[in-house]
Amino acid sequence: MAHLTGTLAEGTTQHDAYLAENDFHRRSLAKDRKLSLGAKNLGEDGSRNSADDLLTAMGYKAELVRSRSTLQVAFMSFVLASIPYGLATTMYYPLVGGGPANIIWGWVAVSLIILCVAASLGEITSVYPTAGGVYYQTWMLSAPSYRKIASWICGWNFVVGNITITLAVNFGTALFLTACINVFETEPEAGIFAGSPWQIYLIFVAITLLCNLVASLGNKWLPLLDTFAIFWTFAGLICIVVCVLAIAKNGRHNASYVFGEFDPSNSGWPAGWSFCVGLLQAAYATSSTGMIISMCEEVESPATQVPKAMVGTIILNTFAGLVFLIPLVFVMPDQATLVALVSAQPTPPMIKNAIGSAGGTFALLIPLLVLAIFCGIGCTTAASRCTWAFSRDGAIPGSKWWKVVNTKMDVPFNAMMLSMAIQLLLGLLYFGSTAAFNAFSGVGVICLTTSYAVPIAVSLFNGRTHLVDGNFYLGKIGIACNVVALCWSALAIPLFCMPTAIPVTAQYMNYASVVFFAFFVIATVWYFVWGKKNYQGPPTHEDAILEARRASVVSHQQK
């Protein structure tokens, strides 16, 4: 008993020391940035922001400035998806899977499913709004008997998913840029730029360095950049849609072709499975849904703003995607011709077929290229935050370096550099196989889908009791959304390990399963070698969290 009393006293002393350190840190940080502590804790309407109080109750220091408003976090969520660009770089998959119907209806189906995923994550995030995101939520929702292994698996999937999706975005931009340059070719498949592996890799390195440079040195301007990206996206969409439909040099298909033509012969799979394999385009474009959760500690009122941003962005993206895809399918050239492209980037040839001019085509592709850079910057930012958050809880080797926040730049710079280094190393796989992009995009979707499913499953199986007091509680609708999200996860994970077409060749092989398995083995071995004994998980102060959350709800209702 004496030992227990001493331990409790020691814990109280440590807690007091922690609060003192937290207060000193925040005051120093505010002084260095020329921000008053009072101003930092004010919400959009000038009232005291309770988000930092909730974060403190969770056991964390407020190390990042809450600079994003409701609209700005929604804009960043939109940029993370960058729908026209994401759909453009992965158009190859539904073309092989089935063509027009696969493109249009696959997008609609996946968007509705991801809306359920976003709603499910939004409910949980409204209760546990931290940069740790889904792995922290898994820890808090799980029973003590299995919370350590559950949060470990979820956390590693979330971090790997963030990093590989960022890699896929930047690598996809390199491939897409090459295809854009080659619209100036005079003979089909002749190309004016060879796009050999070393050239593609160097372009990828340049894009990755640019995205990290902007995300680190220009952090305080990123909300403005995201706002600009919204207007840029829709201006570019209008230009592309109007031009391809108005000019349509080689004519237009009828509506029955656009919405009903389905030809799975290019994949070799049975019709139903071929359609499902073609869903990778839509799944890739919407895979960033939960990445915005990692920005919770830079949002003024994350318990309400982040869930609304996730759900609202999916609705907006659904319509933006249809506005982009339908006109392109109306003017699409022969499906077999597009599938046979060596570049596996059919969007530039599709636009050129409609415009008839290489210069005009390239001009219309510029909005997509710029949006690709915006997307890369957003993904780089989100990936660095989730890497930092997981390191903060001691789950990544060398955590003492990766959990450090650079107060001058207001970013976890070391974590950002770790993420970048991993991306550059994985990019070298392209020298071994030109199908590496398939692996990057596939494993990103698989890992993120798994990480989203874990907290949803734990919450549902435990009766969703933790969510009742949340600001985004959906009741019975939430249960339906949970079920849809989990059914999708059960399908998507094995589905996106499958090759695009059969018989399997080096060109069509999907190495996502190999990369995913390698990460899974590494994470599992590391858990039993080190994590099981040393990983303690996030700090747990459930009573304090409950009181802080109730205060936050009262504050929200009074506004």
Side-chain angles (χ1 to χ4, degrees):
M1 179 64 71
H3 173 72
L4 178 60
T5 303
T7 301
L8 290 173
E10 181 182 354
T12 302
T13 303
Q14 290 176 346
H15 182 65
D16 292 341
Y18 162 75
L19 292 177
E21 179 188 357
N22 183 28
D23 183 65
F24 175 77
H25 177 85
R26 290 176 61 191
R27 289 179 184 276
S28 300
L29 193 61
K31 181 178 179 181
D32 291 341
R33 298 171 188 168
K34 299 181 180 181
L35 295 171
S36 70
L37 185 61
K40 182 182 176 185
N41 283 333
L42 293 180
E44 291 176 288
D45 61 353
S47 60
R48 192 176 191 280
N49 192 334
S50 59
D52 281 348
D53 294 333
L54 180 56
L55 186 65
T56 301
M58 291 178 178
Y60 294 118
K61 294 187 293 185
E63 298 183 80
L64 302 171
V65 173
R66 297 187 183 276
S67 59
R68 294 180 184 270
S69 65
T70 302
L71 281 178
Q72 287 170 337
V73 72
F75 291 164
M76 181 177 180
S77 184
F78 182 87
V79 169
L80 283 172
S82 294
I83 288 305
Y85 161 72
L87 294 175
T89 56
T90 52
M91 187 72 76
Y92 180 77
Y93 299 118
L95 283 173
V96 174
N102 209 161
I103 294 172
I104 304 300
W105 298 116
W107 171 246
V108 172
V110 171
S111 294
L112 293 175
I113 292 170
I114 298 301
L115 182 61
C116 293
V117 175
S120 299
L121 291 176
E123 280 191 301
I124 301 173
T125 301
S126 72
V127 180
Y128 302 113
T130 76
V134 289
Y135 92 86
Y136 178 89
Q137 295 163 1
T138 299
W139 174 275
M140 295 303 298
L141 293 168
S142 300
S145 58
Y146 63 87
R147 64 177 15 163
K148 181 184 289 190
I149 183 65
S151 68
W152 178 276
I153 292 172
C154 183
W156 274 105
N157 273 284
F158 193 48
V159 170
V160 170
N162 270 261
I163 292 175
T164 51
I165 278 293
T166 305
L167 165 61
V169 167
N170 291 335
F171 214 96
T173 303
L175 295 170
F176 190 67
L177 175 60
T178 302
C180 291
I181 292 172
N182 283 329
V183 298
F184 291 99
E185 66 187 10
T186 55
E187 296 291 334
E189 292 295 298
I192 63 170
F193 182 64
S196 57
W198 69 269
Q199 292 172 321
I200 297 295
Y201 183 77
L202 288 180
I203 295 173
F204 157 70
V205 170
I207 293 170
T208 301
L209 292 176
L210 173 62
C211 290
N212 280 269
L213 188 67
V214 175
S216 57
L217 300 181
N219 181 63
K220 64 181 179 179
W221 294 294
L222 291 185
L224 295 177
L225 190 65
D226 294 336
T227 303
F228 172 75
I230 292 290
F231 296 98
W232 177 269
T233 299
F234 284 98
L237 263 179
I238 292 170
C239 291
I240 293 172
V241 169
V242 171
C243 288
V244 298
L245 288 180
I247 298 174
K249 185 176 180 181
N250 292 306
R252 305 173 189 85
H253 297 290
N254 56 39
S256 62
Y257 175 86
V258 173
F259 297 104
E261 176 66 18
F262 181 71
D263 178 12
S265 61
N266 292 294
S267 72
W269 290 107
W273 191 252
S274 183
F275 180 88
C276 290
V277 172
L279 297 179
L280 181 58
Q281 179 199 35
Y284 169 73
T286 56
S287 60
S288 63
T289 299
M291 291 173 65
I292 192 66
I293 302 175
S294 295
M295 302 301 295
C296 275
E297 293 177 34
E298 294 167 74
V299 177
E300 292 169 0
S301 301
T304 55
Q305 292 172 334
V306 173
K308 291 178 181 178
M310 283 195 292
V311 173
T313 301
I314 296 300
I315 297 172
L316 180 61
N317 284 343
T318 301
F319 289 102
L322 290 174
V323 169
F324 178 69
L325 292 172
I326 292 175
L328 285 184
V329 177
F330 264 108
V331 298
M332 189 176 80
D334 180 63
Q335 182 181 339
T337 302
L338 294 174
V339 170
L341 291 171
V342 175
S343 66
Q345 290 291 331
T347 302
M350 290 170 72
I351 295 178
K352 185 179 180 181
N353 177 72
I355 302 300
S357 162
T361 299
F362 190 80
L364 289 176
L365 290 168
I366 289 176
L368 296 179
L369 288 169
V370 175
L371 183 59
I373 300 300
F374 291 155
C375 183
I377 294 169
C379 290
T380 296
T381 302
S384 68
R385 300 316 191 261
C386 83
T387 304
W388 163 71
F390 205 35
S391 299
R392 182 172 59 179
D393 290 323
I396 298 178
S399 292
K400 65 179 180 180
W401 296 300
W402 318 130
K403 69 179 181 180
V404 175
V405 173
N406 186 305
T407 55
K408 291 183 179 179
M409 294 187 287
D410 191 34
V411 297
F413 184 73
N414 292 354
M416 187 178 291
M417 293 301 99
L418 173 64
S419 174
M420 182 184 73
I422 294 172
Q423 292 170 47
L424 295 179
L425 288 173
L426 287 176
L428 293 172
L429 293 175
Y430 191 71
F431 288 99
S433 171
T434 54
F437 175 66
N438 297 9
F440 303 150
S441 56
V443 78
V445 171
I446 293 168
C447 287
L448 287 176
T449 300
T450 303
S451 70
Y452 301 159
V454 175
I456 296 172
V458 173
S459 173
L460 181 63
F461 296 151
N462 288 335
R464 294 164 44 85
T465 55
H466 288 69
L467 310 182
V468 177
D469 293 328
N471 292 321
F472 200 72
Y473 181 61
L474 298 176
K476 293 182 179 179
I477 296 176
I479 296 175
C481 289
N482 292 171
V483 172
V484 172
L486 294 177
C487 289
W488 166 248
S489 301
L491 171 65
I493 293 170
L495 177 65
F496 299 132
C497 290
M498 298 294 176
T500 308
I502 53 176
V504 179
T505 63
Q507 179 183 359
Y508 292 117
M509 174 58 187
N510 187 349
Y511 293 98
S513 56
V514 178
V515 179
F516 177 70
F517 181 75
F519 276 121
F520 184 82
V521 169
I522 293 171
T524 302
V525 170
W526 180 244
Y527 176 78
F528 286 104
V529 170
W530 182 88
K532 187 175 182 179
K533 180 180 180 181
N534 297 284
Y535 172 61
Q536 300 303 315
T540 306
H541 308 291
E542 297 194 40
D543 292 338
I545 293 172
L546 181 61
E547 291 302 319
R549 188 166 68 243
R550 286 172 176 168
S552 176
V553 172
V554 171
S555 175
H556 176 71
Q557 292 173 342
Q558 291 175 346
K559 290 182 181 180

